[in-house]
Amino acid sequence: RAASVARQALNKGIKAKAGFTITPGSEQIRATIARDGLDKPLKEIGGVVLANACGPCIGQWNRQDMPKGQANTIVTSYNRNFTGRNDANPETHAFVTSPELVTALTIAGRLDFNPMTDSLTAADGSKFKLEPPTSDELPSRGFDAGEETYQAPPKDQRPSVEVDPSSKRLQLLTPFDKWNGGDLDEMFVLIKVQGKCTTDHISAAGPWLKFRGHLDNISNNMLIGAVNSENGEKNTVRNHMTGEYGGVPDTARHYKAQGKNWVAIGDDNYGEGSSREHAALEPRHLGARAIIVKSFARIHETNLKKQGLLALTFQEPSDYDRICPDDLISIRGLKDMAPGKPLQCVVRHSNGQEETLQLNHTFNDLQINWFRAGSALNFMKTKQ
């Protein structure tokens, strides 16, 4: 349908008046649109076909036409438009619409262009309106798999993976520690998150993605976008061992170095958005034992379980308000943990008073084994 719009412009001798980029979502999509000639009219009106990758959708956009900090607007057909998502510029206002409307707006060069009512000027000076775009619902010849890029390992030997220890972008993973068989006592509240907390708030994309192969380095973005309920600020939490305020990852690292476990408290639909594994890997790496929230986004909840973290919800959502940032949290009942059986959360307030809350979970038997082994990968290794 976007190509249909582009052909109409070419037939009238005009091209795009604004920057126009096309991102194939995969090698299969790139190969299919190339085979069927759909990329040709898009390129002929001035479009630039980017690599088969997430690209600007996830912030991997080395944008050159707009200084960071300058207010501007872009229109995309990507499915995310959080602040700073596409180009790491918080002043970029991103509006989401269909690919064909993005193409029409690009040709018009105006945000207020309405293809239903407004006219364009052809190369000969005549006025014309775009016709409703047409297309097949699916490729008539099916999808083209494209180039095969998989390289099988040698059959006669087991390859070794060597990574430069000084690399800033690659790091070999080490197994997470196993559950010690007991309850989790007197853990710090690293942060009590206020309001929406997507996986972008937990593990930002954009420039950080160059560290996605280095868990320790990318963990420096953990929860830096989340709002701390104690002060209404981002990336500023109180260190309960020193009394000083610092960044969320820095404080977590200090707790970990001192052998102190911690939990994070969250609001509704915690972890919505991209199904980003790093949003679960990072808390585990920096010493978290449990994430306790009003409710989870389903995929993130499962990701936390896979990394050996306790993904727990308040039996009474209003109990979220009973947690104070300086509380000590103990989780009891882990030895008898079973599907559908709540755990107990003993909250010790700074005044010495204690209260017990009920925590629900959705762990099945397999997922409980993940927790006990320290992660899903640890458990899988025991079955080899």
Side-chain angles (χ1 to χ4, degrees), residues 73-90:
T73 298
I74 60 174
V75 183
T76 83
S77 58
Y78 301 128
N79 59 351
R80 302 276 188 264
N81 65 337
F82 304 129
T83 299
R85 168 79 181 207
N86 303 118
D87 61 359
N89 181 0

Side-chain angles (χ1 to χ4, degrees), residues 36 44 69 93 98 135 171 190 211 263 314 317 356 363:
D36 294 346
E44 288 182 350
H93 297 277
S98 64
S135 71
Q171 178 189 49
L190 174 67
F211 299 123
V263 304
F314 295 107
T356 300
F363 282 79

Side-chain angles (χ1 to χ4, degrees), residues 132-351:
T134 59
S135 71
D136 294 331
E137 288 298 316
L138 291 169
S140 59
R141 291 189 285 165
F143 288 97
D144 187 328
E147 299 179 16
E148 177 57 70
T149 57
Y150 173 70
Q151 296 182 11
K155 294 182 179 180
D156 57 345
Q157 62 184 30
R158 183 173 181 176
S160 62
V161 178
E162 297 183 5
V163 174
D164 184 349
S166 64
S167 172
K168 302 298 183 184
R169 300 182 65 169
L170 292 176
Q171 178 189 49
L172 293 176
L173 294 173
T174 55
F176 292 132
D177 60 320
K178 298 180 181 179
W179 173 55
N180 64 10
D183 290 330
L184 296 169
D185 293 321
E186 297 197 333
M187 298 178 287
F188 286 140
V189 176
L190 174 67
I191 183 172
K192 181 181 178 183
V193 177
Q194 176 182 307
K196 176 181 283 192
C197 190
T198 70
T199 49
D200 267 71
H201 295 99
I202 304 168
S203 177
W208 287 99
L209 291 177
K210 63 177 173 286
F211 299 123
R212 63 189 180 276
H214 196 295
L215 180 56
D216 194 55
N217 281 344
I218 199 171
S219 292
N220 287 324
N221 74 4
M222 185 194 71
L223 286 163
I224 61 175
V227 176
N228 180 9
S229 68
E230 184 179 17
N231 52 22
E233 297 181 9
K234 296 179 180 179
N235 199 28
T236 304
V237 295
R238 181 151 49 99
N239 186 318
H240 302 299
M241 301 184 80
T242 67
E244 299 177 352
Y245 282 84
V248 180
D250 296 332
T251 305
R253 288 183 186 280
H254 184 258
Y255 292 161
K256 181 180 179 181
Q258 301 301 315
K260 192 67 177 179
N261 295 326
W262 56 266
V263 304
I265 307 297
D267 216 316
D268 278 312
N269 205 25
Y270 182 90
E272 64 177 290
S274 302
S275 55
R276 195 166 296 161
E277 198 79 24
H278 286 97
L281 281 163
E282 293 173 26
R284 183 71 164 97
H285 174 64
L286 294 186
R289 292 297 176 179
I291 309 296
I292 307 171
V293 301
K294 291 183 181 179
S295 64
F296 281 109
R298 178 181 55 82
I299 295 177
H300 182 62
E301 180 183 19
T302 303
N303 286 345
L304 291 171
K305 295 176 184 178
K306 286 193 294 183
Q307 303 310 329
L309 282 162
L310 290 170
L312 307 171
T313 57
F314 295 107
Q315 192 171 89
E316 295 294 334
S318 60
D319 285 345
Y320 166 90
D321 298 316
R322 307 181 77 86
I323 304 293
C324 300
D326 56 357
D327 286 341
L328 293 175
I329 305 296
S330 299
I331 298 176
R332 305 281 167 78
L334 292 175
K335 290 182 179 179
D336 300 318
M337 186 177 180
K341 184 179 181 180
L343 298 171
Q344 289 71 52
C345 175
V346 178
V347 182
R348 181 182 172 191
H349 300 298
S350 58
N351 61 7

Side-chain angles (χ1 to χ4, degrees), residues 56 58-63 66-70 72 74 82-92 204-208:
I58 200 169
Q60 293 178 297
W61 183 12
N62 184 20
R63 192 176 181 188
M66 189 63 57
K68 189 172 182 179
Q70 183 171 325
N72 71 101
I74 60 174
F82 304 129
T83 299
R85 168 79 181 207
N86 303 118
D87 61 359
N89 181 0
E91 295 301 317
T92 295
W208 287 99

Side-chain angles (χ1 to χ4, degrees), residues 2-14:
S4 172
V5 174
R7 290 191 196 98
Q8 293 181 54
L10 292 171
N11 290 338
K12 297 294 184 178
I14 61 173

